[in-house]
Amino acid sequence: MNASVSSGSRRPELNAIDFDRAPFIVIWEVTRACDLACVHCRAEAVPFRDPRELTTAEALQVLDQTAEFGRPLFVLTGGDPIKRPDIYEIIAYGDRLGLRMTITPSGTPLMTAPVIDRLKAAGLARMAVSLDGPTPDVHDTFRRVRGSFDWSLGMLRHARAIGLSTQVNTTMTRFNLEHFDAMAELMIDLGIDLWSVFFLVPTGRGRVEDEISAAQYEDVFARMYALSQRVGFDIKSTAAPHYRRFLLQQRTAARRSKQSTAAPRGIGFAIKGGESRAAKSVNDGNGFLFISHTGDVYPSGFLPVSAGNVRETRLATIYRDSDLFRTLRDYSQLKGKCGVCEFREVCGGSRARAYSMLGDYLESDPFCAYVPGPYRKAVAAGAAEDVQEYFAARIRRHAAGV
């Protein structure tokens, strides 16, 4: 299941959060049990629950410890969170603590209208549903269960009917790239609050060969930006922080040509004094943490390097003091072109993709097409390799275990 939700209700100002002290978003994989078998599944979900899952009592302790950060967005994901019968109790408890409780259920027959009603009554702020194609054929092939598309649409439409905020998560791969425009029209029809466009990180069941190219990332960014100029819902990228760089480039180009453009909708930009400005980077371990079904704490669900376990160490201690999280928040340690990029502080590159593709979470994001000025000069002077050739060689060596 895609593990990202944003909620407009009770959300603190992003740029006001000190990411050295608190994350903007906390995601808890409550279970790996799921009735879908998605081709890209980060969790490599299975049909049945793991007996090592955090208990209800441990879950409530996680919520207590999360509340020590303030009011971060708290996402219940999986697998399929509805596989846990205590999910309503967990939501209600988090809501009483003042947390913004959100959920990413799977598109299965388990998500009936009465279940959605009960989730909202418990205090759920937003429901995010994965849609990876504009038709049953595309989506259901991706999810590998027939009927998932129709069940997902039914969930979204019922949530909208009862006034529950909705979000759609879409993972861009070679399977659905050609359907982006049709997906955009479906988002408009569904009346959602946020479209979170995911970019594949080859981990779990996700495969390198299913990635789109760096140039195709830029094309999708352009389509997202153009869409943001004409729709009423927010649009954001997930696992592609370089979309913030793209947004800044578009705003700069518009100013230079004295064109008037609408501020891009979504958390990539914030509005201050009538002007849009880039929000700071929420990235793996930087404003972001992930808790597995067994309590291991990771910088994100796509970066499987653990910094500790909530059964042994308090959440705040892991986030604030672990070497892993502190390193990931220090962009001065980034390597290659990410390390010298003029957009480093508003982007930072996907640390998860660098780790997945190159085996080093401080390396450059190999699916960013932008070449920063200092790196262009180094290549021209013969002090650095051509960027595309460099990454191609590094990826080949990593895949070969060299």
Side-chain angles (χ1 to χ4, degrees):
M1 196 65 204
N2 290 336
S4 179
V5 183
S6 297
S7 170
S9 62
R10 298 184 294 176
R11 186 172 75 191
E13 169 62 45
L14 179 61
N15 284 317
I17 302 172
D18 180 357
F19 284 173
D20 284 332
R21 303 295 301 166
F24 173 76
I25 183 170
V26 176
I27 296 180
W28 174 32
E29 173 196 70
V30 298
T31 183
R32 282 195 174 173
C34 182
D35 293 330
L36 301 179
C38 307
V39 297
H40 72 302
C41 183
R42 168 208 58 78
E44 298 182 277
V46 294
F48 304 105
R49 294 178 60 193
D50 187 332
R52 300 172 299 162
E53 288 175 5
L54 297 181
T55 65
T56 301
E58 289 172 326
L60 302 187
Q61 290 175 357
V62 166
L63 291 167
D64 283 332
Q65 292 182 29
T66 300
E68 295 176 9
F69 291 126
R71 289 195 314 203
L73 177 65
F74 195 90
V75 182
L76 301 163
T77 191
D80 185 1
I82 301 302
K83 286 282 195 173
R84 283 191 66 132
D86 60 356
I87 199 69
Y88 309 100
E89 179 182 352
I90 291 169
I91 290 170
Y93 189 80
D95 183 60
R96 288 197 297 273
L97 290 174
L99 298 174
R100 297 165 293 140
M101 301 300 292
T102 57
I103 195 168
T104 64
S106 298
T108 76
L110 295 179
M111 281 297 290
T112 62
V115 166
I116 298 172
D117 293 341
R118 189 177 174 189
L119 290 169
K120 184 174 186 289
L124 188 69
R126 175 171 289 181
M127 181 178 73
V129 177
S130 291
L131 280 174
D132 295 295
T135 65
D137 183 61
V138 178
H139 173 86
D140 292 353
T141 298
F142 203 82
R143 298 286 158 179
R144 297 202 291 191
V145 172
R146 290 296 171 190
S148 178
F149 181 79
D150 291 332
W151 295 322
S152 298
L153 290 191
M155 292 158 53
L156 288 163
R157 286 172 175 151
H158 182 74
R160 181 182 180 186
I162 64 173
L164 178 61
S165 179
T166 55
Q167 170 180 331
V168 167
N169 296 335
T170 300
T171 300
M172 299 308 304
T173 68
R174 66 182 178 90
F175 299 112
N176 59 2
L177 179 62
E178 65 182 292
H179 301 290
F180 182 90
D181 292 340
M183 283 295 296
E185 294 307 311
L186 179 59
M187 298 305 106
I188 295 171
D189 178 66
L190 289 171
I192 61 173
D193 295 293
L194 173 67
W195 189 16
S196 184
V197 181
F198 281 63
F199 291 79
L200 182 67
V201 176
T203 189
R205 285 199 287 261
R207 304 184 306 168
V208 174
E209 53 264 42
D210 297 334
E211 273 277 14
I212 60 177
S213 69
Q216 289 169 328
Y217 272 55
E218 297 295 308
D219 179 66
V220 175
F221 291 166
R223 292 168 185 258
M224 291 167 63
Y225 178 75
L227 185 65
S228 75
Q229 304 295 293
R230 65 181 181 91
V231 298
F233 55 85
D234 290 339
I235 305 169
K236 67 179 286 287
S237 66
T238 295
H242 37 314
Y243 181 50
R244 283 186 285 271
R245 178 263 303 162
F246 184 89
L247 293 178
L248 274 177
Q249 289 175 308
Q250 300 309 303
R251 298 296 286 177
T252 299
R255 283 199 303 271
R256 287 175 177 170
S257 63
K258 298 183 179 179
Q259 294 178 353
S260 176
T261 62
R265 297 185 61 89
I267 68 168
F269 261 74
I271 306 300
K272 191 77 170 179
E275 293 293 328
S276 64
R277 62 193 175 104
K280 62 184 178 181
S281 175
V282 177
N283 207 338
D284 307 294
N286 187 30
F288 195 118
L289 71 79
F290 180 94
I291 307 163
S292 80
H293 64 298
T294 57
D296 287 322
V297 180
Y298 301 99
S300 78
F302 299 119
L303 180 46
V305 180
S306 175
N309 190 289
V310 294
R311 285 174 165 144
E312 302 166 356
T313 310
R314 294 191 69 80
L315 200 57
T317 300
I318 295 173
Y319 179 80
R320 294 169 180 167
D321 300 330
S322 71
D323 289 341
L324 175 61
F325 276 80
R326 289 170 64 91
T327 297
L328 287 167
R329 290 195 293 269
D330 182 2
Y331 285 179
S332 70
Q333 297 194 46
L334 296 182
K335 302 175 182 179
K337 66 189 184 82
C338 279
V340 298
C341 184
E342 54 266 43
F343 295 101
R344 185 178 70 185
E345 296 304 319
V346 296
C347 171
S350 171
R351 302 298 94 223
R353 188 172 293 103
Y355 181 78
S356 173
M357 301 296 293
L358 303 173
D360 184 349
Y361 50 71
L362 293 176
E363 256 291 2
S364 296
D365 186 334
F367 284 87
C368 176
Y370 180 71
V371 181
Y375 208 87
R376 288 196 299 272
K377 294 177 182 178
V379 170
E385 299 178 68
D386 174 85
V387 174
Q388 291 185 344
E389 292 179 2
Y390 167 80
F391 281 129
R394 282 293 308 274
I395 290 169
R396 288 195 299 269
R397 289 198 295 270
H398 179 60
V402 178

